[in-house]
Amino acid sequence: MKIFISHKQEDDAVARRLDLEFKHYNVDTYLDLIDDTISKNGEALTKHIRESLNTCTDIIVVMSEKTRLSQWVPFEVGMSTQKDMPTVTFMVDDVKLPEFLDYWPRLTKFSDVEKYLIAKKRIFSFDESRSRGDGMLGLMRMPSTDDFYRTLKEML
């Protein structure tokens, strides 16, 4: 598992704290800190984001009043949605989410990272025989991102 942490530059402190929380649980992250040379070149930035997202399995969007108006957050979320990456928002402020982000679970405190990881393990960890398709277990439905969303929402 590798988490892409998407945020607006003004929310760097929150994004860095999330990064530390995941690292505390030995979870790899990509913290979306872009240097000025890339951010001024739209083509290079688009390529950089695409390549970075392709190395990740999940995305967490830091959502605040500032982030809500970002142009890049919807781009990153759109790209991750195409891959059916589990998507979760981390609510910094009590903002009204754009409709495209309202569907996903919302973390509201840093301790919710543990619940996120428990839900991921519960839904996406299944035994070897099931993944190989052996016997009756192989006939069971594979877990989905929607299953993860339901489980995490129940835990929060």
Side-chain angles (χ1 to χ4, degrees), residues 26-57:
N26 297 314
V27 174
D28 196 15
T29 61
Y30 171 77
L31 183 55
D32 187 21
L33 299 174
I34 308 294
D35 67 47
D36 287 338
T37 58
I38 292 178
S39 66
K40 296 192 186 334
N41 180 329
E43 183 180 351
L45 182 55
T46 299
K47 182 180 178 186
H48 173 77
I49 290 171
R50 185 176 55 246
E51 289 172 354
S52 299
L53 273 167
N54 283 336
T55 69
C56 296
T57 58

mmCIF file of all heavy atoms in Angstrom, residues 26-57:
data_model
loop_
_atom_site.group_PDB
_atom_site.id
_atom_site.type_symbol
_atom_site.label_atom_id
_atom_site.label_comp_id
_atom_site.label_asym_id
_atom_site.label_seq_id
_atom_site.Cartn_x
_atom_site.Cartn_y
_atom_site.Cartn_z
ATOM 1 N N ASN A 26 4.120 2.378 9.444
ATOM 2 C CA ASN A 26 4.975 1.800 8.392
ATOM 3 C C ASN A 26 4.277 1.712 7.041
ATOM 4 O O ASN A 26 4.462 0.752 6.290
ATOM 5 C CB ASN A 26 5.499 0.417 8.806
ATOM 6 C CG ASN A 26 6.381 0.496 10.024
ATOM 7 O OD1 ASN A 26 7.257 1.346 10.104
ATOM 8 N ND2 ASN A 26 6.126 -0.373 10.979
ATOM 9 N N VAL A 27 3.486 2.710 6.728
ATOM 10 C CA VAL A 27 2.798 2.780 5.439
ATOM 11 C C VAL A 27 3.518 3.808 4.570
ATOM 12 O O VAL A 27 3.753 4.942 4.995
ATOM 13 C CB VAL A 27 1.308 3.176 5.612
ATOM 14 C CG1 VAL A 27 0.638 3.390 4.265
ATOM 15 C CG2 VAL A 27 0.578 2.114 6.424
ATOM 16 N N ASP A 28 3.859 3.397 3.375
ATOM 17 C CA ASP A 28 4.554 4.254 2.428
ATOM 18 C C ASP A 28 3.599 5.332 1.904
ATOM 19 O O ASP A 28 2.415 5.069 1.700
ATOM 20 C CB ASP A 28 5.073 3.400 1.274
ATOM 21 C CG ASP A 28 6.132 4.100 0.441
ATOM 22 O OD1 ASP A 28 6.679 5.133 0.895
ATOM 23 O OD2 ASP A 28 6.404 3.611 -0.666
ATOM 24 N N THR A 29 4.122 6.531 1.695
ATOM 25 C CA THR A 29 3.303 7.637 1.181
ATOM 26 C C THR A 29 4.051 8.381 0.084
ATOM 27 O O THR A 29 5.278 8.300 -0.025
ATOM 28 C CB THR A 29 2.975 8.663 2.288
ATOM 29 O OG1 THR A 29 4.193 9.206 2.782
ATOM 30 C CG2 THR A 29 2.163 8.050 3.409
ATOM 31 N N TYR A 30 3.281 9.092 -0.693
ATOM 32 C CA TYR A 30 3.843 10.101 -1.591
ATOM 33 C C TYR A 30 3.197 11.410 -1.167
ATOM 34 O O TYR A 30 1.981 11.586 -1.295
ATOM 35 C CB TYR A 30 3.548 9.825 -3.068
ATOM 36 C CG TYR A 30 3.956 11.007 -3.906
ATOM 37 C CD1 TYR A 30 5.295 11.225 -4.209
ATOM 38 C CD2 TYR A 30 3.023 11.948 -4.324
ATOM 39 C CE1 TYR A 30 5.690 12.346 -4.912
ATOM 40 C CE2 TYR A 30 3.418 13.063 -5.036
ATOM 41 C CZ TYR A 30 4.741 13.262 -5.327
ATOM 42 O OH TYR A 30 5.137 14.373 -6.014
ATOM 43 N N LEU A 31 3.994 12.298 -0.621
ATOM 44 C CA LEU A 31 3.498 13.605 -0.201
ATOM 45 C C LEU A 31 3.699 14.558 -1.351
ATOM 46 O O LEU A 31 4.827 14.799 -1.792
ATOM 47 C CB LEU A 31 4.227 14.073 1.060
ATOM 48 C CG LEU A 31 3.756 15.392 1.646
ATOM 49 C CD1 LEU A 31 2.255 15.381 1.917
ATOM 50 C CD2 LEU A 31 4.512 15.680 2.929
ATOM 51 N N ASP A 32 2.624 15.076 -1.851
ATOM 52 C CA ASP A 32 2.592 15.887 -3.060
ATOM 53 C C ASP A 32 3.175 17.281 -2.804
ATOM 54 O O ASP A 32 2.453 18.258 -2.712
ATOM 55 C CB ASP A 32 1.135 15.974 -3.541
ATOM 56 C CG ASP A 32 0.989 16.651 -4.878
ATOM 57 O OD1 ASP A 32 1.969 16.698 -5.623
ATOM 58 O OD2 ASP A 32 -0.120 17.129 -5.159
ATOM 59 N N LEU A 33 4.506 17.338 -2.673
ATOM 60 C CA LEU A 33 5.201 18.618 -2.524
ATOM 61 C C LEU A 33 5.919 18.902 -3.839
ATOM 62 O O LEU A 33 6.876 18.223 -4.185
ATOM 63 C CB LEU A 33 6.208 18.576 -1.371
ATOM 64 C CG LEU A 33 5.619 18.291 0.006
ATOM 65 C CD1 LEU A 33 6.725 18.131 1.028
ATOM 66 C CD2 LEU A 33 4.655 19.391 0.420
ATOM 67 N N ILE A 34 5.444 19.890 -4.568
ATOM 68 C CA ILE A 34 5.956 20.191 -5.902
ATOM 69 C C ILE A 34 6.900 21.390 -5.821
ATOM 70 O O ILE A 34 6.562 22.412 -5.238
ATOM 71 C CB ILE A 34 4.795 20.532 -6.864
ATOM 72 C CG1 ILE A 34 3.720 19.438 -6.842
ATOM 73 C CG2 ILE A 34 5.280 20.786 -8.266
ATOM 74 C CD1 ILE A 34 4.173 18.111 -7.375
ATOM 75 N N ASP A 35 8.055 21.270 -6.458
ATOM 76 C CA ASP A 35 8.961 22.413 -6.475
ATOM 77 C C ASP A 35 8.516 23.423 -7.543
ATOM 78 O O ASP A 35 7.742 23.109 -8.435
ATOM 79 C CB ASP A 35 10.419 21.986 -6.658
ATOM 80 C CG ASP A 35 10.691 21.378 -8.023
ATOM 81 O OD1 ASP A 35 10.269 21.958 -9.034
ATOM 82 O OD2 ASP A 35 11.346 20.325 -8.072
ATOM 83 N N ASP A 36 9.006 24.639 -7.436
ATOM 84 C CA ASP A 36 8.583 25.736 -8.311
ATOM 85 C C ASP A 36 8.873 25.497 -9.786
ATOM 86 O O ASP A 36 8.145 25.966 -10.647
ATOM 87 C CB ASP A 36 9.240 27.056 -7.866
ATOM 88 C CG ASP A 36 8.619 27.588 -6.581
ATOM 89 O OD1 ASP A 36 7.475 27.207 -6.272
ATOM 90 O OD2 ASP A 36 9.279 28.388 -5.901
ATOM 91 N N THR A 37 9.939 24.757 -10.096
ATOM 92 C CA THR A 37 10.272 24.548 -11.508
ATOM 93 C C THR A 37 9.213 23.703 -12.205
ATOM 94 O O THR A 37 8.881 23.952 -13.362
ATOM 95 C CB THR A 37 11.661 23.881 -11.668
ATOM 96 O OG1 THR A 37 11.658 22.641 -10.960
ATOM 97 C CG2 THR A 37 12.755 24.769 -11.143
ATOM 98 N N ILE A 38 8.662 22.721 -11.506
ATOM 99 C CA ILE A 38 7.614 21.886 -12.106
ATOM 100 C C ILE A 38 6.281 22.613 -12.098
ATOM 101 O O ILE A 38 5.527 22.556 -13.061
ATOM 102 C CB ILE A 38 7.493 20.543 -11.357
ATOM 103 C CG1 ILE A 38 8.735 19.708 -11.587
ATOM 104 C CG2 ILE A 38 6.265 19.772 -11.815
ATOM 105 C CD1 ILE A 38 8.737 18.391 -10.850
ATOM 106 N N SER A 39 5.956 23.306 -11.010
ATOM 107 C CA SER A 39 4.629 23.905 -10.875
ATOM 108 C C SER A 39 4.359 24.998 -11.901
ATOM 109 O O SER A 39 3.213 25.310 -12.187
ATOM 110 C CB SER A 39 4.429 24.457 -9.454
ATOM 111 O OG SER A 39 5.299 25.544 -9.224
ATOM 112 N N LYS A 40 5.379 25.563 -12.490
ATOM 113 C CA LYS A 40 5.183 26.616 -13.495
ATOM 114 C C LYS A 40 5.024 26.052 -14.907
ATOM 115 O O LYS A 40 4.744 26.772 -15.837
ATOM 116 C CB LYS A 40 6.350 27.599 -13.443
ATOM 117 C CG LYS A 40 6.426 28.338 -12.112
ATOM 118 C CD LYS A 40 7.387 29.483 -12.184
ATOM 119 C CE LYS A 40 7.628 30.187 -10.893
ATOM 120 N NZ LYS A 40 6.673 30.192 -9.876
ATOM 121 N N ASN A 41 5.201 24.747 -15.056
ATOM 122 C CA ASN A 41 5.094 24.104 -16.363
ATOM 123 C C ASN A 41 3.956 23.091 -16.309
ATOM 124 O O ASN A 41 4.098 22.015 -15.741
ATOM 125 C CB ASN A 41 6.423 23.424 -16.694
ATOM 126 C CG ASN A 41 6.409 22.735 -18.038
ATOM 127 O OD1 ASN A 41 5.381 22.253 -18.503
ATOM 128 N ND2 ASN A 41 7.575 22.665 -18.661
ATOM 129 N N GLY A 42 2.802 23.440 -16.892
ATOM 130 C CA GLY A 42 1.608 22.600 -16.827
ATOM 131 C C GLY A 42 1.824 21.199 -17.344
ATOM 132 O O GLY A 42 1.368 20.225 -16.740
ATOM 133 N N GLU A 43 2.545 21.051 -18.452
ATOM 134 C CA GLU A 43 2.782 19.728 -19.027
ATOM 135 C C GLU A 43 3.653 18.880 -18.100
ATOM 136 O O GLU A 43 3.355 17.708 -17.848
ATOM 137 C CB GLU A 43 3.445 19.855 -20.392
ATOM 138 C CG GLU A 43 3.661 18.527 -21.080
ATOM 139 C CD GLU A 43 4.317 18.668 -22.452
ATOM 140 O OE1 GLU A 43 4.463 19.797 -22.950
ATOM 141 O OE2 GLU A 43 4.687 17.624 -23.008
ATOM 142 N N ALA A 44 4.715 19.478 -17.575
ATOM 143 C CA ALA A 44 5.611 18.748 -16.668
ATOM 144 C C ALA A 44 4.890 18.373 -15.372
ATOM 145 O O ALA A 44 5.057 17.262 -14.856
ATOM 146 C CB ALA A 44 6.852 19.587 -16.355
ATOM 147 N N LEU A 45 4.058 19.286 -14.874
ATOM 148 C CA LEU A 45 3.320 19.014 -13.636
ATOM 149 C C LEU A 45 2.306 17.893 -13.844
ATOM 150 O O LEU A 45 2.183 16.988 -13.018
ATOM 151 C CB LEU A 45 2.626 20.279 -13.136
ATOM 152 C CG LEU A 45 1.864 20.159 -11.821
ATOM 153 C CD1 LEU A 45 2.759 19.621 -10.711
ATOM 154 C CD2 LEU A 45 1.281 21.509 -11.430
ATOM 155 N N THR A 46 1.601 17.923 -14.962
ATOM 156 C CA THR A 46 0.631 16.868 -15.270
ATOM 157 C C THR A 46 1.321 15.511 -15.344
ATOM 158 O O THR A 46 0.851 14.522 -14.774
ATOM 159 C CB THR A 46 -0.086 17.175 -16.604
ATOM 160 O OG1 THR A 46 -0.770 18.416 -16.464
ATOM 161 C CG2 THR A 46 -1.067 16.083 -16.968
ATOM 162 N N LYS A 47 2.458 15.457 -16.012
ATOM 163 C CA LYS A 47 3.215 14.213 -16.132
ATOM 164 C C LYS A 47 3.703 13.742 -14.763
ATOM 165 O O LYS A 47 3.611 12.559 -14.432
ATOM 166 C CB LYS A 47 4.400 14.417 -17.079
ATOM 167 C CG LYS A 47 5.208 13.169 -17.304
ATOM 168 C CD LYS A 47 6.363 13.416 -18.258
ATOM 169 C CE LYS A 47 7.163 12.136 -18.413
ATOM 170 N NZ LYS A 47 8.365 12.328 -19.193
ATOM 171 N N HIS A 48 4.204 14.681 -13.979
ATOM 172 C CA HIS A 48 4.702 14.359 -12.635
ATOM 173 C C HIS A 48 3.579 13.773 -11.771
ATOM 174 O O HIS A 48 3.770 12.749 -11.096
ATOM 175 C CB HIS A 48 5.282 15.620 -11.989
ATOM 176 C CG HIS A 48 5.669 15.440 -10.572
ATOM 177 N ND1 HIS A 48 6.829 14.796 -10.193
ATOM 178 C CD2 HIS A 48 5.035 15.791 -9.429
ATOM 179 C CE1 HIS A 48 6.904 14.779 -8.878
ATOM 180 N NE2 HIS A 48 5.824 15.366 -8.393
ATOM 181 N N ILE A 49 2.415 14.401 -11.784
ATOM 182 C CA ILE A 49 1.286 13.920 -10.976
ATOM 183 C C ILE A 49 0.859 12.534 -11.451
ATOM 184 O O ILE A 49 0.640 11.626 -10.647
ATOM 185 C CB ILE A 49 0.114 14.920 -11.019
ATOM 186 C CG1 ILE A 49 0.498 16.185 -10.236
ATOM 187 C CG2 ILE A 49 -1.161 14.295 -10.463
ATOM 188 C CD1 ILE A 49 -0.468 17.327 -10.383
ATOM 189 N N ARG A 50 0.732 12.363 -12.757
ATOM 190 C CA ARG A 50 0.317 11.062 -13.306
ATOM 191 C C ARG A 50 1.299 9.964 -12.892
ATOM 192 O O ARG A 50 0.895 8.899 -12.424
ATOM 193 C CB ARG A 50 0.194 11.142 -14.821
ATOM 194 C CG ARG A 50 -0.350 9.862 -15.452
ATOM 195 C CD ARG A 50 -0.557 9.957 -16.947
ATOM 196 N NE ARG A 50 0.649 10.360 -17.655
ATOM 197 C CZ ARG A 50 0.791 11.511 -18.315
ATOM 198 N NH1 ARG A 50 -0.203 12.367 -18.368
ATOM 199 N NH2 ARG A 50 1.907 11.815 -18.924
ATOM 200 N N GLU A 51 2.579 10.220 -13.038
ATOM 201 C CA GLU A 51 3.594 9.223 -12.678
ATOM 202 C C GLU A 51 3.570 8.920 -11.180
ATOM 203 O O GLU A 51 3.702 7.771 -10.771
ATOM 204 C CB GLU A 51 4.979 9.690 -13.118
ATOM 205 C CG GLU A 51 5.167 9.660 -14.625
ATOM 206 C CD GLU A 51 6.461 10.312 -15.091
ATOM 207 O OE1 GLU A 51 7.182 10.909 -14.257
ATOM 208 O OE2 GLU A 51 6.741 10.238 -16.301
ATOM 209 N N SER A 52 3.396 9.947 -10.374
ATOM 210 C CA SER A 52 3.356 9.755 -8.921
ATOM 211 C C SER A 52 2.122 8.964 -8.510
ATOM 212 O O SER A 52 2.208 8.055 -7.670
ATOM 213 C CB SER A 52 3.373 11.103 -8.205
ATOM 214 O OG SER A 52 4.559 11.805 -8.518
ATOM 215 N N LEU A 53 0.967 9.298 -9.075
ATOM 216 C CA LEU A 53 -0.256 8.557 -8.769
ATOM 217 C C LEU A 53 -0.144 7.093 -9.182
ATOM 218 O O LEU A 53 -0.661 6.210 -8.505
ATOM 219 C CB LEU A 53 -1.468 9.190 -9.458
ATOM 220 C CG LEU A 53 -2.162 10.303 -8.691
ATOM 221 C CD1 LEU A 53 -3.120 11.055 -9.587
ATOM 222 C CD2 LEU A 53 -2.875 9.763 -7.466
ATOM 223 N N ASN A 54 0.542 6.848 -10.280
ATOM 224 C CA ASN A 54 0.690 5.466 -10.761
ATOM 225 C C ASN A 54 1.527 4.598 -9.838
ATOM 226 O O ASN A 54 1.496 3.378 -9.948
ATOM 227 C CB ASN A 54 1.259 5.448 -12.183
ATOM 228 C CG ASN A 54 0.214 5.805 -13.205
ATOM 229 O OD1 ASN A 54 -0.984 5.654 -12.985
ATOM 230 N ND2 ASN A 54 0.653 6.301 -14.349
ATOM 231 N N THR A 55 2.280 5.210 -8.924
ATOM 232 C CA THR A 55 3.058 4.427 -7.962
ATOM 233 C C THR A 55 2.272 4.180 -6.676
ATOM 234 O O THR A 55 2.768 3.505 -5.786
ATOM 235 C CB THR A 55 4.380 5.136 -7.598
ATOM 236 O OG1 THR A 55 4.101 6.316 -6.836
ATOM 237 C CG2 THR A 55 5.203 5.464 -8.827
ATOM 238 N N CYS A 56 1.068 4.741 -6.589
ATOM 239 C CA CYS A 56 0.278 4.670 -5.359
ATOM 240 C C CYS A 56 -0.933 3.759 -5.516
ATOM 241 O O CYS A 56 -1.385 3.496 -6.626
ATOM 242 C CB CYS A 56 -0.181 6.071 -4.955
ATOM 243 S SG CYS A 56 1.198 7.159 -4.534
ATOM 244 N N THR A 57 -1.449 3.312 -4.379
ATOM 245 C CA THR A 57 -2.641 2.459 -4.361
ATOM 246 C C THR A 57 -3.869 3.209 -3.864
ATOM 247 O O THR A 57 -4.992 2.795 -4.136
ATOM 248 C CB THR A 57 -2.419 1.248 -3.438
ATOM 249 O OG1 THR A 57 -2.117 1.727 -2.121
ATOM 250 C CG2 THR A 57 -1.299 0.368 -3.960
#
